[in-house]
Amino acid sequence: NGFVMIGAHTDSPCPKLKPKTKVGIHPQTDAMQVAVQPYGGGLWHTWFDRDLGVAGRVVLRDEKSGKVEHRLVKIGEPILRVPNLAIHLNRDIYTEGFKVNFQTHMAPLLGMKQKNEKKEEDEATIDATPPTPTNHNHHSEFLEKLAKALNCDPSS
């Protein structure tokens, strides 16, 4: 004469990729970073100095037909890392603790831009060739890894 109901909720806080992932290339170090935003209320200090893969939904558009397709992707190999500042460069951590500012501390490192590629990009900018929207929003290296995992063209 009754019923029992059980409910549960699980949440997986994580850094979520922003729609425009290209943060830029640091002029002194040539470091490429990816823009992320917080999903959920995480213990963000635990994400530092870990190898990270990428997983989620990707929207692809066929250039010829204009057809839009949603696909799931999982890159299990580590392609990103959120580096931690060396302790001797952050002496205040002993007195004030580590307070994570998501926007400044949590942009994962994708890799280092090769010197000759950076020079070619700089020369292309001098030629006043407008960048394609894809390259303007995302690092080409990141798109290539996604395209390989999705078995598609990086321009999709």
Side-chain angles (χ1 to χ4, degrees):
N1 289 355
F3 64 93
V4 176
M5 185 186 317
I6 298 175
H9 171 78
T10 58
D11 196 11
S12 298
C14 64
K16 183 178 174 184
L17 293 171
K18 288 186 175 182
K20 295 180 179 180
T21 60
K22 189 173 189 176
V23 172
I25 300 171
H26 193 277
Q28 294 174 338
T29 63
D30 293 329
M32 295 181 292
Q33 290 182 288
V34 177
V36 294
Q37 59 194 10
Y39 174 79
L43 298 174
W44 303 120
H45 68 278
T46 63
W47 287 85
F48 287 88
D49 293 330
R50 288 184 180 220
D51 293 330
L52 304 173
V54 173
R57 182 190 317 242
V58 176
V59 179
L60 303 172
R61 182 176 47 126
D62 187 308
E63 295 276 336
K64 295 176 184 170
S65 69
K67 180 182 173 187
V68 175
E69 177 185 1
H70 293 256
R71 287 162 118 193
L72 296 178
V73 65
K74 180 178 180 184
I75 301 175
E77 69 177 283
I79 64 169
L80 300 171
R81 186 177 189 91
V82 181
N84 200 356
L85 188 61
I87 194 70
H88 64 279
L89 297 175
N90 190 10
R91 300 254 182 220
D92 295 338
I93 197 168
Y94 294 116
T95 56
E96 298 176 21
F98 183 54
K99 297 177 181 107
V100 178
N101 177 325
F102 204 91
Q103 299 305 316
T104 58
H105 295 132
M106 290 292 293
L109 183 65
L110 176 64
M112 307 300 278
K113 191 70 160 171
Q114 296 295 321
K115 293 287 185 186
N116 59 349
E117 291 176 17
K118 184 176 184 298
K119 185 178 177 185
E120 289 172 10
E121 281 185 6
D122 291 344
E123 289 172 1
T125 305
I126 292 169
D127 292 339
T129 307
T132 62
T134 303
N135 287 338
H136 182 67
N137 295 330
H138 310 284
H139 292 291
S140 59
E141 293 81 358
F142 187 59
L143 291 177
E144 288 169 13
K145 291 197 179 283
L146 282 174
K148 182 179 177 186
L150 291 163
N151 196 24
C152 70
D153 188 315
S155 64
S156 294

